[in-house]
């Protein structure tokens, strides 16, 4: 029976059938059957992706929901692809450990996180998912199941690809010289194989973490503080919200947000082994940066959770508004080299104020020169102009040496950005890898490569 699906961006798809295998043998047999019949196959994690990657136009949708293995050991855990990020974090915390990537949407599956090389709020210190993978078990379109450990290199010839000088990137396949299987599969958006389970690294939970939500009455002061605080020891989070973003949160948070606040930075610092009085040091920093006195600081897990909920409420509020307006989400995921952060922000602010005054928000991972711009369409015209704006901003990011996707992937909605960043020859090099693993181009059809399924049939 046909099933209609939608991801968190509002992108819709339809599959001829939804399948929910519960073992690798069952799933591998399905892939072999699909290969025999030429049936397209798309993997579904939790549907929190925002590029349409999990929404097919035809064929089978394979849910990984029943892959729920969760074995936590010392320094690592084996996790089934369908395990929600929250369950992994909870199980790790019970052993005094944590999983470093925090792509903030805790209902996302580990398989989806791996497929998109997700990162999020702690990437400032810990980078993206790829860095924390020790092994992957993957089902391939020929019906085989392979486990690759970190260190195992690709065993076929390929043309290596350049990478941008950004701290995060997930646009296209990761193909440096001497590429490893684990790294190639991570970020391949369900186009090369289906992740069944993974061994991920766990770190010892720091004994003390200081968290803060720092408000400013002037956006320029917040941006100066970003540059000043980048070098703070053991800072693991440096996040930004502009004034319209705070406007969204004034609904649920009311007077708790200082009325004068026009921008905000969120920080987390691991304190273990640091000399001095960290809170006093922050008070000095706040004074120097001319931050508002009624900023929030805390040292307990409860404070951290309160601030996390505050941060996460923003994309949720924005997504709710997008749904209410009746348009698909229009959000950017560009990152630039750290030194070009100011230029990119100036581009955003100038062009958005000209075109979308009162209809945009800027927030996100500013420590990585990676903020998300959301254009809040109120009409078809806004939506069309928003799409054009996204294209011009993607060109700008590439011109500054950046990436068209830092953490969400390209999926179907952003596949047209790929040629802005890679030459035709480089895209051919990616396609050659795709054909090696999926000769009929059945897996995750329409993701990453522009032009859809048809343009790649051989
Ligand atoms: C409110 C909100 C906040 C978010 N914040 C962040 C953030 O801070 N950082 C960030 O990186 N992302 C963020 N995201 C995006 C999203 O959570 C991530 O992209 C996440 O990794 C998607 O996981 P999922 O399980 O929902 O995957 P899905 O949406 O189901 O799928 C995403 C892609 O992965 C593929 N896929 C899924 N499972 C597998 C598998 N087992 N094997 C192979 N391919 C698979 C799908 O085919 C699709 O291409 C946010 C989303 C929301 C709604």
């Amino acid at each position: 029976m046909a099933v209609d699906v939608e991801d968190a961006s509002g992108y819709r798809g339809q599959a001829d059938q939804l399948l929910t295998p519960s073992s690798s043998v069952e799933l591998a047999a399905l892939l072999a059957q699909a290969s025999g019949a030429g049936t397209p196959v798309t993997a579904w994690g939790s549907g929190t992706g925002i590029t349409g990657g999990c929404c097919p136009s035809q064929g089978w949708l394979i849910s990984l929901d029943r892959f729920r293995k969760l074995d936590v050991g010392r320094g690592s855990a084996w996790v089934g692809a369908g395990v929600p990020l929250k369950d992994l974090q909870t199980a790790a915390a019970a052993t005094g450990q944590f999983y470093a990537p925090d792509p903030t949407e805790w209902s996302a599956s580990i398989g989806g996180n791996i497929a998109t090389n997700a990162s999020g709020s702690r990437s400032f210190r810990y980078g993206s998912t790829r860095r924390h993978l020790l092994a992957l078990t993957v089902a391939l379109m020929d019906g085989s199941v392979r486990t690759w450990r970190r260190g195992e290199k690709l065993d076929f010839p390929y043309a290596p690809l350049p990478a941008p000088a950004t701290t995060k990137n997930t646009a296209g396949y990761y193909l440096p010289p001497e590429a490893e299987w684990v790294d190639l599969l991570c970020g391949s958006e369900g186009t090369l194989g289906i992740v069944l389970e993974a061994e991920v690294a766990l770190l010892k939970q720091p004994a003390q973490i200081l968290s803060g939500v720092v408000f400013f009455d002037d956006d320029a002061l917040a941006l100066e503080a970003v540059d000043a605080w980048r070098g703070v020891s053991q800072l693991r989070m440096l996040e930004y919200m502009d004034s319209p973003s705070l406007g969204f949160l004034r609904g649920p948070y009311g007077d708790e947000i200082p009325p004068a606040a026009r921008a905000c930075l969120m920080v987390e610092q691991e304190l273990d082994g640091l000399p001095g009085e960290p809170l006093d040091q922050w008070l000095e920093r706040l004074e120097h940066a001319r931050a508002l006195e009624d900023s929030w600081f805390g040292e307990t897990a409860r404070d951290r959770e309160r601030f996390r909920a505050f941060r996460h409420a923003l994309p949720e509020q924005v997504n709710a508004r997008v749904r209410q307006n009746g348009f698909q989400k229009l959000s950017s995921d560009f990152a630039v080299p750290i030194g070009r952060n100011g230029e990119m922000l100036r581009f955003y602010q100038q062009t958005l104020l000209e075109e979308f005054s009162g209809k945009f928000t800027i927030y996100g991972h500013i420590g990585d020169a990676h903020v998300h711009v959301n254009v809040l369409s109120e009409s078809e015209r806004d939506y069309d102009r928003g799409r054009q704006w996204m294209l011009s901003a993607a060109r700008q990011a590439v011109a500054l040496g950046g990436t068209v996707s830092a953490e969400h992937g390209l999926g179907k909605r952003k596949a047209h950005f790929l040629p802005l960043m890679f030459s035709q020859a480089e895209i051919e090099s990616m396609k050659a890898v795709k054909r090696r693993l999926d000769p009929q181009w059945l897996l995750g059809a329409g993701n990453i490569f522009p032009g859809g399924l048809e343009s790649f049939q051989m």
Side-chain angles (χ1 to χ4, degrees):
M1 196 180 70
V3 280
D4 295 318
V5 286
E6 185 175 326
D7 75 356
S9 76
Y11 185 89
R12 296 198 177 127
Q14 193 178 59
D16 301 324
Q17 217 179 329
L18 171 66
L19 300 161
T20 53
S22 60
S23 71
S24 29
V25 173
E26 202 185 330
L27 199 150
L30 286 174
L31 294 192
Q33 200 184 329
S35 281
T39 306
V41 173
T42 299
W44 176 272
S46 296
T48 71
I50 35 194
T51 62
C54 59
C55 301
S57 57
Q58 56 176 312
W60 293 348
L61 186 63
I62 298 194
S63 163
L64 276 295
D65 193 49
R66 293 168 77 187
F67 286 74
R68 294 285 180 131
K69 175 176 183 173
L70 184 46
D71 290 343
V72 175
R74 195 60 34 212
S76 73
W78 273 99
V79 198
V83 171
L85 179 60
K86 186 175 191 349
D87 290 9
L88 171 60
Q89 291 295 15
T90 306
T95 63
Q97 304 179 93
F98 74 110
Y99 174 57
D102 181 25
T104 72
E105 178 49 56
W106 280 8
S107 68
S109 71
I110 292 300
N113 281 183
I114 293 168
T116 55
N117 186 27
S119 51
S121 68
R122 286 199 291 252
S123 56
F124 182 64
R125 180 155 201 215
Y126 291 112
S128 61
T129 298
R130 185 175 283 132
R131 202 198 282 180
H132 306 274
L133 288 180
L134 303 176
L136 273 187
T137 299
V138 180
L140 301 175
M141 276 318 281
D142 62 4
S144 64
V145 172
R146 299 286 307 268
T147 295
W148 282 295
R149 295 207 61 82
R150 168 134 320 279
E152 287 185 62
K153 305 241 161 64
L154 299 189
D155 47 10
F156 59 83
Y158 66 93
L161 296 179
T166 51
T167 60
K168 314 156 88 165
N169 173 41
T170 192
Y173 293 158
Y174 184 67
L175 286 169
E178 306 276 300
E180 297 182 16
W181 279 102
V182 166
D183 293 334
L184 170 65
L185 268 301
C186 181
S188 63
E189 301 191 49
T191 61
L192 297 178
I194 296 191
V195 177
L196 305 178
E197 58 185 48
E199 188 184 15
V200 299
L202 299 181
L203 301 176
K204 188 169 170 286
Q205 191 75 260
Q208 272 186 297
I209 300 166
L210 188 68
S211 333
V213 179
V214 183
F215 297 103
F216 297 83
D217 61 9
D218 180 344
D219 197 63
L221 291 178
L223 299 179
E224 278 170 30
V226 168
D227 290 331
W229 297 352
R230 235 178 246 293
V232 169
S233 296
Q234 294 179 194
L235 194 67
R236 68 180 192 177
M237 182 197 292
L238 185 51
E239 302 268 300
Y240 166 79
M241 287 181 190
D242 69 352
S243 185
S245 301
L246 288 176
F248 267 95
L249 293 173
R250 285 187 203 276
Y253 283 87
D255 296 344
E256 287 181 67
I257 300 174
R262 294 291 171 270
C264 146
L265 296 180
M266 278 151 291
V267 294
E268 271 186 16
Q269 184 186 23
E270 295 178 1
L271 302 182
D272 297 27
L274 281 183
E277 292 297 329
L279 193 54
D280 291 349
Q281 291 166 1
W282 274 108
L283 291 176
E284 267 176 42
R285 274 181 209 118
L286 261 50
E287 195 180 359
H288 192 253
R290 291 195 277 149
L292 293 175
E293 276 179 13
D294 30 11
S295 295
W296 311 339
F297 270 87
E299 284 187 51
T300 65
R302 202 154 157 234
D303 295 322
R304 231 170 17 257
E305 176 49 30
R306 198 158 54 89
F307 300 165
R308 192 198 75 81
F310 176 75
R311 197 178 66 248
H312 193 57
L314 176 58
E316 285 181 336
Q317 293 277 323
V318 168
N319 291 352
R321 171 73 63 83
V322 169
R323 273 196 296 278
Q324 185 189 320
N325 288 353
F327 295 92
Q328 282 176 25
K329 188 173 162 82
L330 271 182
S331 67
S332 79
D333 183 32
F334 315 126
V336 294
I338 301 291
R340 314 305 292 268
N341 188 40
E343 275 166 271
M344 193 70 199
L345 284 173
R346 275 193 294 283
F347 171 88
Y348 287 153
Q349 282 162 345
Q350 281 164 11
T351 55
L352 287 165
L353 275 174
E354 276 166 25
E355 290 231 35
F356 302 101
S357 183
K359 295 181 189 171
F360 70 88
T361 61
I362 306 178
Y363 59 83
H365 323 298
I366 201 161
D368 285 306
H370 169 217
V371 291
H372 300 295
V373 174
N374 278 262
V375 171
L376 303 159
S377 316
E378 290 173 5
S379 63
E380 285 292 345
R381 185 165 176 269
D382 283 348
Y383 186 74
D384 289 344
R385 285 167 62 222
R387 277 176 53 94
Q388 288 307 315
W389 182 88
M390 288 291 166
L391 192 59
S392 67
R395 288 204 175 95
Q396 178 71 5
V398 173
L400 294 179
T403 172
V404 292
S405 177
E407 65 179 8
H408 294 156
L410 298 171
K412 298 177 184 69
R413 297 195 61 202
K414 297 183 177 179
H416 60 292
F417 290 160
L418 191 73
L420 302 182
M421 199 170 147
F422 293 98
S423 69
Q424 215 41 52
E426 288 163 348
I427 293 175
E428 275 309 320
S429 158
M430 293 185 213
K431 287 187 195 168
V433 172
K434 164 80 173 159
R435 284 192 194 99
R436 180 173 283 272
L437 291 170
D438 178 17
Q440 298 181 75
W441 213 276
L442 295 174
L443 206 47
N447 288 353
I448 300 181
F449 300 100
L453 180 61
E454 296 70 25
S455 32
F456 297 102
Q457 297 289 10
M458 298 201 300

